[in-house]
Amino acid sequence: QTGMFTYDPGFLATASCESAITYIDGDKGQLLYRGYPIDQLAKSCDFMDVSYLILNGELPNAAQKSEFDSLVTHHSLVHEQLHFFLRGFRRDAHPMAVLTGLVGALSAFYHDSTDITNPRHREISAIRLIAKMPTLVAMAYKYSQGQPFIYPQNDLSYTGNFVRMMFATPCEDYKVNDVVERALDRIFILHADHEQNASTSTVRLCGSSGTNPFAAIAAGVACLWGPAHGGANEACLQMLEDLQANGGIAKVGEFMEKVKDKNSGVRLMGFGHRVYKNYDPRAKLMQETCKEVLSALGLENDPLFKLAMELERIALEDPYFVERKLYPNVDFYSGIVQRAIGIPTSLFTAIFALARTVGWIAQWNEMLSDPEYKIGRPRQLYTGAVVRDVPAQR
Ligand code: SDX
């Protein structure tokens, strides 16, 4: 019994830690950030409200929100030398390769916030990471486009600043469109934390050695990149585009047969989840956001959205998916929304990392604040050779 939740002993044996940040009920399809249902937060808060909540455990009042906004805003600039560090990459480097490098490199620039035993250092490094991720992701994008970096502007919202840094150029400023800003802010909220997923567990394990926060978060970025985890949104959109290019809706039945054929190696990307054995609540909210954005942009007939809806309709009736409790997850619709607002596919996972940074930091802080915490060191079952001697004649 922990607070309002009871766990069966079998589950307790598999739990890697205790946490008070995010609760998932995979059977009910329920997701709570600090006790608040994700759908209520997505509809009545912005990403800065939710970031404050995940970090501090309570929603901010007006004064706390204004102070947090101002702190984050005034740390959004990155050290000018990082522009030169970035120039060491090839222009066609994947944004996640660049982001992994840039986030790790922050520990070489912000020595005054790397001592994890100093609460002040931990506070400042958290703000710096949350504040600088949009700037770093936008820099990685601009670099890939061969365009100059756009500096953050202090009179814009967190999400508005990111959109402007992505799409403005020195020749022409970018007026932040509120449909795009609201859609991205919603995407950030839905990706902010998700209890002990692979990348969060990586941040906890890496951070448990006492390494600095920038190195621990860089490890999380690297893990998130995988197509089975944060890379699934990019893989899902690729899957939809390939299907659309090869017959579209008319070929959905044939494609689904391939997905069900074990030997094909084809998975329905954006479907299935380690924990949700019901509809991922974030996928429902993402589908709603998709409809809102496409209609606001006059793209109601977007073929990829129609294709995704048809794949979902078939999967929810097909015994293969029903028996295995495979439902859409957060990645199934997020790529369609991002593509509609002009985000390049290659940047989807970097945007997931931008949003998840606040969750990684909150979980890292929670781990370090546990007086019982020790360096993570999983044990193994050894299945190798029994002890033996090296042959004398070697
Ligand atoms: C994220 O952990 C988190 O919280 C992650 C995340 C977060 O917010 O941090 O929610 C973000 O990572 C979402 C997941 C994104 N990944 C994808 O969409 C990739 C496609 N999905 C899968 O590869 C898979 O569903 C996983 C990895 C997500 C979950 O795998 P599980 O729960 O370990 O399921 P499994 O691999 O054991 O599969 C169970 C069965 C198998 O069939 P059988 O061997 O029983 O015959 O279901 C099948 C699988 O082959 N299956 C799928 C499938 N996912 C599972 N078959 C077709 N398409 C799929 N997507």
Side-chain angles (χ1 to χ4, degrees):
Q1 180 85 19
T2 65
M4 66 185 271
F5 302 108
T6 51
Y7 293 104
D8 63 64
F11 179 89
L12 288 180
T14 64
S16 62
C17 66
E18 288 184 12
S19 178
I21 299 169
T22 294
Y23 175 74
I24 301 175
D25 184 323
D27 296 327
K28 288 190 202 148
Q30 184 184 38
L31 171 58
L32 310 175
Y33 288 162
R34 299 285 192 181
Y36 292 103
I38 188 71
D39 56 322
Q40 292 181 32
L41 292 171
K43 289 174 180 160
S44 53
C45 298
D46 67 18
F47 181 61
M48 286 291 98
D49 291 320
V50 171
S51 296
Y52 185 95
L53 169 70
I54 287 174
L55 286 172
N56 301 295
E58 297 298 336
L59 284 167
N61 60 34
Q64 290 162 334
K65 172 74 179 296
S66 156
E67 186 197 359
F68 185 68
D69 270 353
S70 167
L71 253 182
V72 169
T73 298
H74 290 88
H75 279 86
S76 54
L77 208 53
V78 296
H79 194 294
E80 199 66 7
Q81 280 305 105
L82 275 164
H83 290 185
F84 301 106
F85 175 86
L86 180 48
R87 287 194 171 90
F89 287 96
R90 284 172 43 150
R91 291 274 182 181
D92 61 353
H94 192 288
M96 285 301 279
V98 175
L99 194 62
T100 306
L102 284 172
V103 175
L106 292 176
S107 40
F109 288 88
Y110 299 104
H111 311 99
D112 61 345
S113 59
T114 52
D115 172 3
I116 63 146
T117 61
N118 179 333
R120 186 79 191 114
H121 277 221
R122 281 172 35 193
E123 209 180 296
I124 282 291
S125 61
I127 292 293
R128 278 177 163 153
L129 278 157
I130 294 167
K132 296 180 192 310
M133 281 302 257
T135 310
L136 297 176
V137 172
M139 280 166 61
Y141 173 63
K142 283 306 200 188
Y143 186 67
S144 73
Q145 300 300 301
Q147 291 182 1
F149 304 129
I150 298 295
Y151 287 89
Q153 217 164 280
N154 289 355
D155 60 346
L156 293 176
S157 72
Y158 182 84
T159 306
N161 224 342
F162 172 64
V163 176
R164 183 180 167 279
M165 287 189 281
M166 280 281 294
F167 298 125
T169 67
C171 332
E172 190 177 350
D173 206 346
Y174 176 85
K175 171 111 183 57
V176 181
N177 168 320
D178 71 340
V179 171
V180 171
E181 183 176 355
R182 269 206 320 272
L184 258 183
D185 203 75
R186 170 79 60 88
I187 286 172
F188 290 167
I189 289 174
L190 297 180
H191 287 82
D193 191 52
H194 211 237
E195 58 128 286
Q196 306 313 313
N197 56 84
S199 52
T200 298
S201 302
T202 300
V203 170
R204 279 178 171 258
L205 187 60
C206 181
S208 70
S209 72
T211 190
N212 71 76
F214 306 107
I217 300 300
V221 174
C223 175
L224 186 74
W225 192 1
H229 187 15
N233 50 21
E234 184 178 344
C236 180
L237 196 84
Q238 193 56 62
M239 170 191 80
L240 293 171
E241 285 176 338
D242 292 349
L243 189 49
Q244 182 59 21
N246 295 289
I249 293 236
K251 292 285 186 183
V252 162
E254 193 180 307
F255 173 74
M256 289 298 245
E257 286 316 304
K258 242 190 244 164
V259 167
K260 297 188 288 187
D261 169 8
K262 279 263 149 295
N263 306 317
S264 73
V266 175
R267 285 216 156 175
L268 185 56
M269 299 311 280
F271 251 74
H273 200 274
R274 297 292 287 151
V275 178
Y276 289 119
K277 301 308 169 190
N278 198 329
Y279 211 109
D280 181 337
R282 301 169 299 172
K284 259 195 195 89
L285 290 160
M286 200 64 87
Q287 188 193 83
E288 277 172 31
T289 306
C290 220
K291 283 180 184 158
E292 287 161 21
V293 168
L294 292 177
S295 135
L297 298 175
L299 300 170
E300 293 85 348
N301 295 319
D302 180 292
L304 296 193
F305 183 55
K306 288 188 177 304
L307 202 47
M309 294 284 279
E310 179 63 5
L311 285 165
E312 174 183 333
R313 185 191 66 77
I314 294 173
L316 295 187
E317 292 166 0
D318 186 307
Y320 172 93
F321 294 89
V322 174
E323 285 156 13
R324 291 169 177 78
K325 300 185 177 178
L326 301 175
Y327 294 88
N329 61 50
V330 68
D331 294 307
F332 193 57
Y333 292 103
S334 73
I336 303 172
V337 182
Q338 293 182 74
R339 174 177 168 274
I341 59 178
I343 303 283
T345 311
S346 63
L347 222 64
F348 290 176
T349 310
I351 285 180
F352 190 153
L354 185 168
R356 184 56 56 90
T357 294
V358 64
W360 286 331
I361 289 165
Q363 301 267 353
W364 169 79
N365 255 326
E366 186 178 63
M367 179 263 303
L368 291 176
S369 313
D370 175 353
E372 301 295 307
Y373 107 85
K374 291 187 179 59
I375 180 167
R377 203 213 174 288
R379 294 311 309 271
Q380 64 171 24
L381 287 177
Y382 177 70
T383 57
V386 294
V387 64
R388 53 188 168 160
D389 296 322
V390 175
Q393 70 276 15
R394 276 191 67 76

